[in-house]
Amino acid sequence: MFSDIPYNLYLALSGILFTIGAIGAITRRNAIIVFMCIELMLNAVNLAFIASGKMLSSMDGTIFVFFIMTVAAVEAAVGLAIFVMVFRLKQTINVDEINLLKG
């Protein structure tokens, strides 16, 4: 299945997914949606690494994907825990209303 589709289409899809994630992360105000957009960008990078690794007949892309998936899992766990604590404190997860660093 992977060899039937040209690699350029995988890279184009990766670019489209990354762009959608970047636009969502920049324009949205809900912290959970921003978080999901960042995850979408990470998955787009994973797709590009897998396609590039397959195109070059190398396992390097797959190894990078395992590292990125590990970091994304840790990010999700820590990020969601932070969002729960912020919601308990402020009763909102709107990034415009969260100003915990102001003195």
Side-chain angles (χ1 to χ4, degrees):
M1 182 180 110
F2 195 77
S3 62
D4 295 341
I5 301 172
Y7 297 116
N8 293 337
L9 292 179
Y10 287 109
L11 296 176
L13 177 64
S14 172
I16 291 169
L17 289 175
F18 190 87
T19 303
I20 291 171
I23 290 172
I26 292 170
T27 60
R28 302 301 294 236
R29 296 293 120 215
N30 188 329
I32 298 291
I33 294 176
V34 170
F35 195 68
M36 289 189 317
C37 290
I38 291 170
E39 293 292 328
L40 182 63
M41 292 179 355
L42 286 174
N43 285 326
V45 171
N46 284 343
L47 180 62
F49 275 134
I50 292 289
S52 299
K54 190 73 173 177
M55 185 171 52
L56 299 173
S57 299
S58 173
M59 289 295 294
D60 293 342
T62 305
I63 293 169
F64 276 116
V65 167
F66 282 124
F67 284 120
I68 291 172
M69 289 175 67
T70 304
V71 170
V74 171
E75 173 204 353
V78 172
L80 289 176
I82 290 171
F83 292 150
V84 167
M85 294 305 294
V86 167
F87 184 76
R88 286 182 183 171
L89 184 66
K90 297 285 186 177
Q91 298 299 318
T92 184
I93 53 171
N94 189 344
V95 293
D96 288 335
E97 297 175 13
I98 300 171
N99 53 5
L100 296 175
L101 296 180
K102 288 186 179 178

